[in-house]
Every structure is written in structure tokens, then in C-alpha cells.
Amino acid sequence: MKTPISKPLPLAGVRVLDVSQVMAGPYCCMLLADLGADVIKIEPPGTGDQTRGAMGFKMKGSDSMGFLNMNRNKRSVTLNLKTEAGKKVFFELVKTADILVENYRPGVMKKLGIDYPSLKDINPGLVYASISGFGQTGPWADRPGFDLMAQAMSGVMSVTGYPDGPPVKAGVPVADIGCALFAVYGILSAYIGKTKSGEGQFIDASLFDSALAFSIWDTAQYWGTGVEPYKLGTANHMSAPYQAMKASDGYFVMGATNQKLWKLLCDKINRPELFEDSLFRTNPLRLANRLILAAELEKTFITKTSEEWVDLLLAAGIPAGPINTYPQAFDSEHGQHRQMRMEIDHPIEGKVPNIGFAVKMMGTPQQVSRHPPLLGEHTNEVLKELGIAGQELKALQDGGAFAA
């Protein structure tokens, strides 16, 4: 998928070294690439990013669909950073870079001699972002970090699911994706600062911090009342009714989050007595009696289909919606209009579906200019740009720079 570019993209001319694997780091770097940055993905020879071989099903080639959805618009270079020859090439790349993103466990980059203090001497303007499970410092810093652990240890899982049910994680990787987004925020802020000061800086982003940062409403309740947040299923601690409701054919979601909407709801479902009920007169009362309220409302909602209720409530100005599957969301009229599924031409897979751009930039719309790279696809191209050829290249090859 290529579209004509009428204006330079915002990050055109910015070089990013993506020294990361799996999700948070690669996704962060893909967002930068979508905005025009020249992202060079540094991968271990032979295996590459672990995500290339992840997931329980095979594609035509060796790369997984997960990898193909987190690595578009990048170039791939294979380097063995455990060899002096590999590091020599890497240092030459660092000299040309504006931003570096890595997500190895704290201490690994220092052991390899490519941590921020080491690279700052080579490139004082480098913006260096480290993504980890629990941050670069602190009692948990050395722990391996994955989304599941971050959700559990940040408290996210303590409020996910139903009160009497077993532990449940959020269905999407909120810690991974959240950390990628917060990292982009830090990276771009530091880059803007660099354009004024000429100096780069170190950015410490963690899955734990990012997951905990999403706890605004739950934490506000806890700090304001002293009551520890607890599981509520699809409801929340701030207003009621605001949750999934059962109709005759299944569930839908709705929310009457203020007194005006509550009155309107009672009128539209022909239950004016609920508005006068002493259990439901105010939002605090409705929250305190949420289960009773839901049961009362479902006595009425069970009389029509979910689609009928969604249409009726929306027509009255009351927020409501169906509970879609992912295919239904992508295939919906709105999902198609928002271009949330796009196809990318790939040399092995043919047409590869990708999730569309989540933010639409009207003046300089994001572009797909490169397919997700094959492992090491651009090694020779990048070496040529660095002026590495002839005897120098042979010496690097003999030194194991590009070998597993």
C-alpha cells in the first residue's frame, strides 16, 4: 500500500535505531516509522526478532502475522552485537542516528558496551530510550518483564473481571502498547528539546509504570475514599448505570452517566418509577445499589434485542453500542470508513493485512512506504550508505559481524 506523498512527513530525515524485539519496542519504532523516520531494525543474525517466529500458526514465509503488524516501514540489518566487528558497524550507525530504542533487560546493553553512557560519547545528541518491564532502577528492575507480569503487579488485574471470578488480564496488551505510546511521547519530547539544546538524553520507560498510569479512575477512588478498588465486570466506580446490559438476544453496552441522562433513560424505557426510587435518586445511590439497578433495568431490556435497544437509546441521545467481535469491528461500516484495516504488498506473503493508523494526521498523513522487512534485507544497503566496502567489509565479515 503506497500513496503519493505531497509533503514531507513530520519525521522525515530522522534516523532511529530499533534495537528491540517482541512488542513494546518494535511497536514504538513502527509508530515513528509511520511518521517518516528512517527506522533501521538491528536484529541478531539467524533468528532475528523473536516475534518473527512467534504465534501458533505458519504463514507462507518464516515471519509471523504479529511481526508483520509491528514492523512496517522499517529496514532490517543483521548484526552480531556480541562481536567487536558487529559493534564497530553499530557504532558507525550510532554516529548517524537521532534516536535509539532498546528493550533488553537492564544491564545487558552495559555489558555489551552499547549503553547510553558509552554511546553518548560517540553521539552527544542521541535520544536513547530503554524499554523494560520494571524500569532501569528499583527493587524489581532485574526481573524479566512481560505484559502479563506488568498487568498483575501494577494492579490492573485486581480490577479486571468479575468479583467472584479467577484472575483475569485485560484482553489486549495494555502494558506493552501503553509503554510503547508513553515511550513515543518521551522520545518526541526529548527530540524536540534536542533541536534547541543540541543534547540528547536517556529515557527510562517501563511496562509497570505505564500500566499503573492507566489507573486514574480507580486510584482517584482509592485516594479519595480509602476503599481499595475491586472488580466490577463491565461497570466502573464513577457512575451508574454504565455497563453491559442483557437484552433478549445477548448483551449491549450503555451509559447514563449523569442526572439528565438518567432521567432521559427512565422516560425512554417507560420506567419513570425508577427515577423516583429512593435507591436510585443520585449517582452515589445508584453506585451503591448498582446490582439492584442493573437487575431492574434488565427486566425491561430483556424485552427487546440488543440492536433495538442500541437504536432506541442512540436516537434519544443516550450513549449505547453493540459488543462487537474484532471481525465485526474491522468490517463495520465505520471501521471501513476509518481505514482500520489496510493491506501491504509483501514479497513473500503477497497482500498482508495490517491494522490501520490509529491517529489521522490531515496535513501530513502517515504513509506505508516499506513492507515489514525480511531478516537482514537491507544490510548491504545500509553498509553501502555507511561507506563500508572492500577490505573493510571483508574484515568485518571475517570478524563475525554478520554471522550468528
Side-chain angles (χ1 to χ4, degrees), residues 284-324:
L285 285 170
R286 291 192 291 277
L287 282 168
N289 298 288
R290 182 181 56 80
L291 295 177
I292 300 172
L293 174 61
E296 280 295 332
L297 290 172
E298 287 185 344
K299 289 178 182 178
T300 299
F301 289 143
I302 201 72
T303 64
K304 297 179 186 293
T305 66
S306 57
E307 183 177 4
E308 288 175 317
W309 281 118
V310 168
D311 290 344
L312 187 152
L313 295 179
L314 288 177
I318 300 169
I323 299 175
N324 289 330

Side-chain angles (χ1 to χ4, degrees), residues 243-258:
Q243 63 186 86
M245 292 289 181
K246 189 174 184 179
S248 63
D249 62 340
Y251 289 85
F252 69 99
V253 293
M254 55 78 59
T257 54
N258 56 46

